[in-house]
Amino acid sequence: MGDSGFRFLRALLVPALAALAIVGVGSVADAAPGTRCAGATVTTRTASPSPTGWAENLTFDPSGNLWVSRLYGNSVERYDRSGRRTATVPVWAPGALRVGPGGDLYVNSGDQLSFGTERKGVVVKLDPLAAQPNPTVYARGFAMPNGLAFDADGFGYVVDSSLGVVRVAPGGAIDRRWTDTARAAFATSRAVNGFSPNGAVVIGNHLYLTFTASRTGRVVAVPLDDPGSMRVVADLTAPLPGLLDDLTALDPHTIAVTSTLGSLILVDVRTGAHCSIALGRPATAVAVQPADSRALVVASETGDLLDVRLAK
């Protein structure tokens, strides 16, 4: 979300987090204390293009181009392998962006705080290889579309920080039954100890989710074929509250999670074991470089893009 919106939300969240830490919400899974990830290095890949260059999200397309959501600039940018910017595409308040059905690039639009019954958010799609891509609306009806993931069958999962997780069928129609079941689970599951769902990634039959704010920096898993069920994957900041953002998969058993408190956290989804990498900037999203799962690119609130090299 945009800087002003995020600062506003953070102002609301801090007192709420304090209350969560005192009274508790849901169950807290036992988690091994987090440690530093040995051997990781962090360097600046691309400096922010402006003081308001907030990089909300990023991903690689099939040709190895890097796409970045510039939320304050109401645009998404394409960078080639040499780091040269080759396109700037107007998209209002862009959030997560992912390659999906047909090889198109899908972008959440409207990733900012909304109030009342506003449903101005959409998902747009564009041809990532076009000289000047032209976005068109793919799905409508969102309040604050933030995270985005696709499964192997082309279903999209829009993490709406106001409405919960919305499943979008291939073609753009909302899967109301799945979405309503997931929403009910968010309201009742003891696995949920925070609010404002944020990032998403699909691995196999599970959707892994973060929360903008939770009592323990919690990551949960939702079975795609049973959205009414939910389990705790890890508590990344316990016993302290956590502020998490987007995440990605490194392999079938490992995810990388960004924290707006300035770290990247690697998590084994089988055991919950995790380690962290200090970034020196509030991190918003992470992507794996093509053909090298140990080379990551991280987006930040400052607008800088960071290269993170993991130890072998």
Side-chain angles (χ1 to χ4, degrees):
M1 75 188 66
D3 183 50
S4 59
F6 189 84
R7 291 180 188 278
F8 178 76
L9 181 58
R10 185 178 281 170
L12 295 177
L13 293 179
V14 169
L17 282 171
L20 287 175
I22 294 171
V23 304
V25 176
S27 62
V28 180
D30 292 331
T35 59
R36 294 295 180 187
C37 302
T41 61
V42 180
T43 57
T44 300
R45 176 189 183 95
T46 305
S48 179
S50 73
T52 57
W54 182 299
E56 174 65 14
N57 214 277
L58 76 177
T59 196
F60 286 93
D61 69 24
S63 292
N65 299 303
L66 177 64
W67 287 84
V68 181
S69 294
R70 296 289 183 186
L71 207 138
Y72 251 22
N74 291 305
S75 64
V76 294
E77 298 175 336
R78 181 177 63 200
Y79 294 84
D80 65 17
R81 292 176 180 269
S82 70
R84 182 174 62 95
R85 187 170 57 196
T86 60
T88 300
V89 183
V91 176
W92 171 63
L97 64 176
R98 298 289 184 269
V99 174
D104 287 329
L105 185 69
Y106 295 76
V107 187
N108 287 346
S109 174
D111 184 14
Q112 63 179 24
L113 285 174
S114 62
F115 300 92
T117 60
E118 289 184 326
R119 298 290 185 270
K120 297 180 180 179
V122 299
V123 178
V124 300
K125 69 174 184 176
L126 56 89
D127 179 357
L129 305 183
Q132 184 54 51
N134 179 37
T136 59
V137 174
Y138 177 70
R140 302 177 182 272
F142 307 99
M144 185 182 170
N146 194 343
L148 177 64
F150 287 94
D151 66 21
D153 295 321
F155 285 87
Y157 300 86
V158 178
V159 185
D160 190 311
S161 292
S162 296
L163 300 178
V165 182
V166 179
R167 178 158 129 152
V168 181
I174 304 300
D175 183 339
R176 299 291 180 186
R177 182 175 181 180
W178 193 100
T179 299
D180 289 345
T181 301
R183 185 175 300 156
F186 269 92
T188 60
S189 174
R190 289 177 60 84
V192 176
N193 74 345
F195 46 93
S196 186
N198 196 309
V201 67
V202 171
I203 303 178
N205 187 49
H206 286 85
L207 179 69
Y208 294 87
L209 300 168
T210 61
F211 298 90
T212 302
S214 69
R215 186 165 69 92
T216 55
R218 180 160 290 182
V219 179
V220 299
V222 179
L224 299 183
D225 57 2
D226 185 10
S229 300
M230 191 180 301
R231 69 175 177 88
V232 177
V233 174
D235 290 307
L236 305 184
T237 61
L240 300 176
L243 297 173
L244 303 182
D245 211 305
D246 208 2
L247 68 165
T248 196
L250 303 186
D251 59 46
H253 308 299
T254 312
I255 56 176
V257 182
T258 56
S259 167
T260 54
L261 298 181
S263 63
L264 181 68
I265 307 168
L266 309 186
V267 186
D268 186 323
V269 298
R270 299 166 297 183
T271 66
H274 54 279
C275 65
S276 64
I277 302 166
L279 300 174
R281 298 166 182 79
T284 56
V286 56
V288 180
Q289 294 199 40
D292 189 350
S293 63
R294 312 306 291 177
L296 314 179
V297 183
V298 176
S300 73
E301 292 179 7
T302 66
D304 295 338
L305 305 181
L306 309 176
D307 279 326
V308 176
R309 166 64 64 175
L310 305 179
K312 294 183 178 180

